[in-house]
Amino acid sequence: MGSRVRVWLNRTYAENVFFMDQLRNNPQHRAVEIHATHGDADSPVLAAADTAEPEPEGLSPRAYVEYALDMCARRSVDVFVPVLHQDAIVAQRAEFAAAGTALLAPPAEAVAVFHDKAVAYQAVEAVGIPVPPWYRVRTVEELITAVEELEAAGQRACFKPAAGAGGVGFRVITRSPFSLMHLTGFPSAYVPLDLVVEALRTAEEPVDWLVMPHLGQPEVSVDCLTGPDGRVRMAIGRTKNGRRRGFTLDDAWIEPARLLAEAFGLHYLSNIQFRMYGDEPVLMDVNTRPAGGLHQIAQCGVNAPWAAVQLALGEETGELVPPFLGPDYTVVAGPRPVRPVSLPAQRTESGVPALPVLPAVPAQATESPSAQPAPIEATAAARPAQTATTAGAAIAPA
């Protein structure tokens, strides 16, 4: 069965509770011990881990690297999956290797390219991967010019931060004046142009946005697994069209993802997203980390998290070809436990609620997935078994 593997996930997405489940349910039946850290005491990844502790706040990137190196030494971490401060951490890969820890993340050069979407679009165009029209915007004048040129071409303009993850900061620009229509129902991503212009004119800090046409569906996220030798071992597309989700191995999506992963050395797990610009698939975004929805490809008979850990440990996986493609599905929210606390948050003298400080001790094992949460000394409550990969957890901010 091999020796126990110790894996650390730092501040990450709530959906990675499923990533952790897959590591434990690996096909080699290898023992896996998972440590998790987070700034939110109620993050479900803390409850899902074997040991957990809060992360220090306010650290500079270099100070965070020192904290991470100390953590790896104290916990004898074999594989570290960094999300927070990934760029600073991978820049010191040699220091982690000297401590006996492998980083499950691409090289620093690849992370740097895809940290800035404008730099990324220029780079991928150079290797022949199509991208949508885009404008880098920092001023009101640049915004208006970009919007007018896109509208003149019959496109609806949208914008997002040049650096950022997920859909944070994404908005679609409209010419409709602000009205009660914007105040009924659920909040919308649509925002009137005049309000965006006014916000820019009164902003105390500069913005750095990408303005581009609002791309059409389907959206296809290709999960790639690439070895440190630069060769892709797995590429599976997850399709999204409204609520309906599915899987694809269509070359129209898979081949450009493979090309991109190999050309830029996106080692281990990456996620490459495409949408439609007219009749052509174009690149939308590249994530140099495991996607929050990576666990969904388990419906195709593939355990990508464990294969990535194997590669990080220097073990060859061979090609991961899904034996079948799972049926179409949708994603719904499901409950996950949080760590127990003895008291609710108490107010400090300054009036700011104080978070409880919870010790980093192992979770208590339970006989049944339906067992009650562990006693207060434990850092993680019992983990219910995942009943279906159609159930998802909401993504929490990193």
Side-chain angles (χ1 to χ4, degrees):
M1 289 178 58
S3 60
R4 180 183 300 271
V5 180
R6 295 178 175 87
V7 180
W8 173 29
L9 282 75
N10 74 341
R11 193 175 312 196
T12 189
Y13 302 97
E15 275 193 325
N16 273 339
V17 294
F18 302 125
F19 186 101
M20 298 156 79
D21 290 343
Q22 288 185 278
L23 290 183
R24 293 191 180 96
N25 297 325
N26 66 81
Q28 278 73 43
H29 305 290
R30 189 97 166 259
V32 177
E33 180 181 296
I34 301 175
H35 185 62
T37 58
H38 207 286
D40 179 1
D42 290 331
S43 170
V45 299
L46 298 180
D50 297 295
T51 60
E53 57 190 277
E55 287 195 353
E57 297 291 345
L59 295 183
S60 68
R62 180 58 214 184
Y64 192 91
V65 169
E66 294 298 331
Y67 156 77
L69 285 165
D70 178 69
M71 178 71 73
C72 289
R74 287 193 294 111
R75 293 281 174 181
S76 300
V77 174
D78 298 305
V79 178
F80 176 21
V81 188
V83 173
L84 181 65
H85 291 311
Q86 185 192 64
D87 53 346
I89 289 165
V90 297
Q92 307 302 325
R93 187 181 297 270
E95 293 187 53
F96 286 92
T101 299
L103 298 181
L104 203 154
E109 297 79 10
V111 173
V113 167
F114 295 104
H115 178 73
D116 185 309
K117 292 179 174 61
V119 172
Y121 278 1
Q122 290 173 326
V124 300
E125 279 186 293
V127 298
I129 295 175
V131 301
W134 58 275
Y135 304 78
R136 191 160 203 161
V137 164
R138 294 184 175 93
T139 67
V140 169
E141 293 72 26
E142 289 173 341
L143 173 69
I144 292 174
T145 297
V147 171
E148 288 179 346
E149 289 186 8
L150 287 171
E151 290 179 342
Q155 304 291 330
R156 170 169 278 175
C158 62
F159 65 89
K160 59 185 176 182
V168 176
F170 172 79
R171 298 292 186 273
V172 181
I173 293 175
T174 75
R175 294 281 186 167
S176 303
F178 188 79
S179 67
L180 283 177
M181 178 187 69
H182 296 90
L183 301 177
T184 58
F186 293 102
S188 169
Y190 290 82
V191 58
L193 177 61
D194 58 339
L195 294 187
V196 180
V197 168
E198 181 61 23
L200 275 180
R201 287 201 170 111
T202 59
E204 297 181 358
E205 298 180 359
V207 301
D208 188 5
W209 291 342
L210 249 59
V211 176
M212 61 183 63
H214 190 213
L215 301 174
Q217 292 185 328
E219 178 180 319
V220 178
S221 293
V222 181
D223 294 307
C224 291
L225 174 65
T226 307
D229 58 358
R231 181 167 59 86
V232 172
R233 307 298 201 277
M234 179 202 80
I236 302 174
R238 290 182 285 114
T239 65
K240 179 180 178 182
N241 197 338
R243 177 169 285 184
R244 179 171 291 271
R245 311 288 180 95
F247 304 100
T248 182
L249 295 177
D250 191 322
D251 284 346
W253 315 100
I254 300 301
E255 287 309 310
R258 281 182 171 271
L259 171 61
L260 196 154
E262 292 183 347
F264 293 96
L266 293 177
H267 300 171
Y268 306 110
L269 291 167
S270 61
N271 177 255
I272 302 168
Q273 300 173 357
F274 301 90
R275 271 195 174 228
M276 299 298 294
Y277 178 61
D279 296 327
E280 181 184 32
V282 294
L283 181 71
M284 183 171 69
D285 207 354
V286 176
N287 296 308
T288 59
R289 52 167 176 76
L294 176 68
H295 63 280
Q296 293 163 14
I297 65 172
Q299 294 187 93
C300 301
V302 174
N303 187 329
W306 177 247
V309 166
Q310 285 185 286
L311 288 176
L313 293 172
E315 302 170 7
E316 182 51 59
T317 63
E319 295 290 326
L320 268 69
V321 179
F324 53 86
L325 292 182
D328 286 1
Y329 63 103
T330 191
V331 174
V332 296
R336 295 288 297 204
V338 295
R339 300 200 308 178
V341 293
S342 57
L343 291 171
Q346 302 296 304
R347 290 198 172 274
T348 64
E349 291 182 1
S350 63
V352 179
L355 290 176
V357 178
L358 301 175
V361 297
Q364 294 189 356
T366 59
E367 295 294 326
S368 167
S370 61
Q372 294 300 311
I376 192 63
E377 292 83 7
T379 60
R383 289 183 301 274
Q386 183 182 347
T387 56
T389 51
T390 54
I395 295 180

